[in-house]
Amino acid sequence: MENRIYNENNGLWYEKQGDYYLPCLELPEQEDVEIGVWGERHRQYLLAHHKVKYYNMLSNCTLCSHLAEVEKRAAKMFDNIVKELAEKENITEKLKANDMMLWVQKMNNIRNRAKEIVNDEVIFV
Protein backbone atom coordinates (compact mmCIF):
# COMPACT_ATOMS: atom_id res chain seq x y z
CA MET A 1 0.00 0.00 0.00
CA GLU A 2 1.21 3.54 -0.74
CA ASN A 3 2.28 5.98 1.97
CA ARG A 4 0.62 8.92 0.17
CA ILE A 5 -2.67 8.98 -1.75
CA TYR A 6 -4.59 11.75 -3.47
CA ASN A 7 -8.36 12.16 -3.04
CA GLU A 8 -9.88 13.75 -6.13
CA ASN A 9 -13.18 14.50 -4.37
CA ASN A 10 -11.69 17.03 -1.98
CA GLY A 11 -8.30 17.71 -3.60
CA LEU A 12 -6.24 16.67 -0.58
CA TRP A 13 -3.21 14.45 -0.20
CA TYR A 14 -3.27 11.88 2.60
CA GLU A 15 -0.24 10.34 4.28
CA LYS A 16 -0.23 7.03 6.12
CA GLN A 17 0.49 7.39 9.83
CA GLY A 18 0.42 3.96 11.45
CA ASP A 19 -2.84 2.33 10.37
CA TYR A 20 -4.56 5.58 9.32
CA TYR A 21 -4.36 8.04 6.45
CA LEU A 22 -4.25 11.62 7.72
CA PRO A 23 -4.64 14.71 5.51
CA CYS A 24 -1.46 16.60 4.67
CA LEU A 25 -2.42 20.11 5.72
CA GLU A 26 -0.11 23.10 5.64
CA LEU A 27 -0.73 26.61 6.85
CA PRO A 28 0.15 29.41 4.46
CA GLU A 29 3.16 31.58 5.20
CA GLN A 30 2.38 34.43 7.55
CA GLU A 31 4.22 37.66 8.08
CA ASP A 32 6.17 37.98 11.30
CA VAL A 33 4.47 40.46 13.57
CA GLU A 34 5.50 41.45 17.05
CA ILE A 35 2.82 40.93 19.66
CA GLY A 36 3.38 42.99 22.79
CA VAL A 37 1.77 43.07 26.21
CA TRP A 38 -1.61 44.28 24.99
CA GLY A 39 -1.85 41.69 22.22
CA GLU A 40 -0.83 38.91 24.60
CA ARG A 41 -3.47 39.98 27.12
CA HIS A 42 -6.10 39.91 24.39
CA ARG A 43 -4.88 36.48 23.22
CA GLN A 44 -5.18 35.12 26.77
CA TYR A 45 -8.67 36.64 27.06
CA LEU A 46 -9.79 35.05 23.79
CA LEU A 47 -8.34 31.69 24.79
CA ALA A 48 -10.09 31.78 28.18
CA HIS A 49 -13.48 33.25 27.20
CA HIS A 50 -13.93 32.89 23.41
CA LYS A 51 -12.26 29.60 22.49
CA VAL A 52 -14.25 29.08 19.29
CA LYS A 53 -13.36 32.55 17.99
CA TYR A 54 -9.72 32.02 19.00
CA TYR A 55 -9.39 28.69 17.22
CA ASN A 56 -11.28 29.92 14.15
CA MET A 57 -8.89 32.86 13.85
CA LEU A 58 -5.93 30.56 14.45
CA SER A 59 -7.02 28.12 11.75
CA ASN A 60 -7.84 30.94 9.31
CA CYS A 61 -4.39 32.46 9.90
CA THR A 62 -5.91 35.75 11.01
CA LEU A 63 -5.02 35.57 14.71
CA CYS A 64 -1.57 37.17 14.43
CA SER A 65 -2.78 40.10 12.35
CA HIS A 66 -5.74 40.60 14.70
CA LEU A 67 -3.47 40.61 17.76
CA ALA A 68 -1.06 43.02 16.07
CA GLU A 69 -3.95 45.38 15.30
CA VAL A 70 -5.21 45.15 18.90
CA GLU A 71 -1.67 45.81 20.16
CA LYS A 72 -1.31 48.90 17.98
CA ARG A 73 -4.74 50.29 18.89
CA ALA A 74 -4.33 49.63 22.64
CA ALA A 75 -0.82 51.12 22.82
CA LYS A 76 -1.94 54.26 20.99
CA MET A 77 -5.00 54.61 23.21
CA PHE A 78 -2.92 54.09 26.38
CA ASP A 79 -0.37 56.75 25.36
CA ASN A 80 -3.10 59.24 24.49
CA ILE A 81 -4.97 58.69 27.75
CA VAL A 82 -1.81 59.05 29.85
CA LYS A 83 -0.89 62.26 28.04
CA GLU A 84 -4.38 63.75 28.37
CA LEU A 85 -4.74 62.88 32.05
CA ALA A 86 -1.27 64.25 32.86
CA GLU A 87 -2.14 67.54 31.17
CA LYS A 88 -5.56 67.67 32.82
CA GLU A 89 -4.10 67.06 36.30
CA ASN A 90 -1.22 69.48 35.70
CA ILE A 91 1.56 66.94 36.14
CA THR A 92 4.56 68.62 34.55
CA GLU A 93 8.32 68.37 34.32
CA LYS A 94 8.49 71.14 36.91
CA LEU A 95 6.70 68.89 39.41
CA LYS A 96 9.09 66.10 38.46
CA ALA A 97 12.08 68.33 39.20
CA ASN A 98 10.66 69.65 42.49
CA ASP A 99 9.11 66.52 44.00
CA MET A 100 10.10 63.31 42.22
CA MET A 101 8.18 60.94 44.52
CA LEU A 102 4.92 62.88 44.15
CA TRP A 103 5.37 62.90 40.38
CA VAL A 104 5.97 59.12 40.35
CA GLN A 105 2.88 58.52 42.51
CA LYS A 106 0.67 60.63 40.28
CA MET A 107 2.02 59.11 37.06
CA ASN A 108 1.58 55.56 38.38
CA ASN A 109 -1.99 56.45 39.30
CA ILE A 110 -2.62 57.80 35.81
CA ARG A 111 -1.04 54.74 34.16
CA ASN A 112 -3.17 52.40 36.25
CA ARG A 113 -6.35 54.26 35.31
CA ALA A 114 -5.34 54.31 31.65
CA LYS A 115 -4.62 50.56 31.79
CA GLU A 116 -8.11 49.89 33.18
CA ILE A 117 -9.72 52.00 30.45
CA VAL A 118 -7.78 50.22 27.69
CA ASN A 119 -8.58 46.83 29.18
CA ASP A 120 -12.31 47.65 29.26
CA GLU A 121 -12.51 49.18 25.80
CA VAL A 122 -10.00 47.18 23.73
CA ILE A 123 -8.58 44.11 25.44
CA PHE A 124 -11.52 42.45 27.18
CA VAL A 125 -14.07 42.89 24.41
Side-chain angles (χ1 to χ4, degrees):
M1 193 116 222
E2 295 181 43
N3 279 344
R4 286 178 57 104
I5 59 172
Y6 181 74
N7 185 338
E8 293 183 14
N9 293 334
N10 61 14
L12 292 177
W13 282 93
Y14 290 83
E15 186 172 330
K16 190 170 186 178
Q17 301 285 328
D19 294 336
Y20 301 100
Y21 282 96
L22 300 177
C24 300
L25 302 175
E26 294 180 8
L27 293 174
E29 288 292 323
Q30 297 182 36
E31 62 183 69
D32 287 335
V33 291
E34 190 171 323
I35 307 299
V37 173
W38 300 109
E40 183 60 27
R41 281 186 189 148
H42 186 64
R43 187 186 73 76
Q44 290 292 333
Y45 171 75
L46 288 175
L47 190 56
H49 300 285
H50 300 283
K51 285 185 181 183
V52 172
K53 183 177 179 180
Y54 175 84
Y55 285 112
N56 283 341
M57 291 170 63
L58 185 62
S59 63
N60 292 337
C61 300
T62 58
L63 181 64
C64 288
S65 61
H66 173 72
L67 294 177
E69 189 270 326
V70 167
E71 172 72 27
K72 183 178 176 183
R73 196 167 29 129
K76 183 177 180 182
M77 181 182 220
F78 179 80
D79 291 341
N80 288 340
I81 291 171
V82 168
K83 183 178 177 184
E84 288 173 10
L85 289 175
E87 288 175 3
K88 183 178 178 182
E89 296 178 18
N90 201 24
I91 301 172
T92 62
E93 292 296 318
K94 184 177 179 182
L95 176 63
K96 184 177 178 180
N98 293 338
D99 191 352
M100 177 68 83
M101 290 307 294
L102 180 62
W103 181 85
V104 169
Q105 290 171 356
K106 289 182 180 268
M107 288 304 293
N108 284 341
N109 183 291
I110 287 173
R111 286 188 188 100
N112 288 334
R113 287 185 282 159
K115 179 180 164 186
E116 290 298 320
I117 293 169
V118 172
N119 283 341
D120 288 343
E121 294 184 13
V122 179
I123 305 302
F124 303 135
V125 182

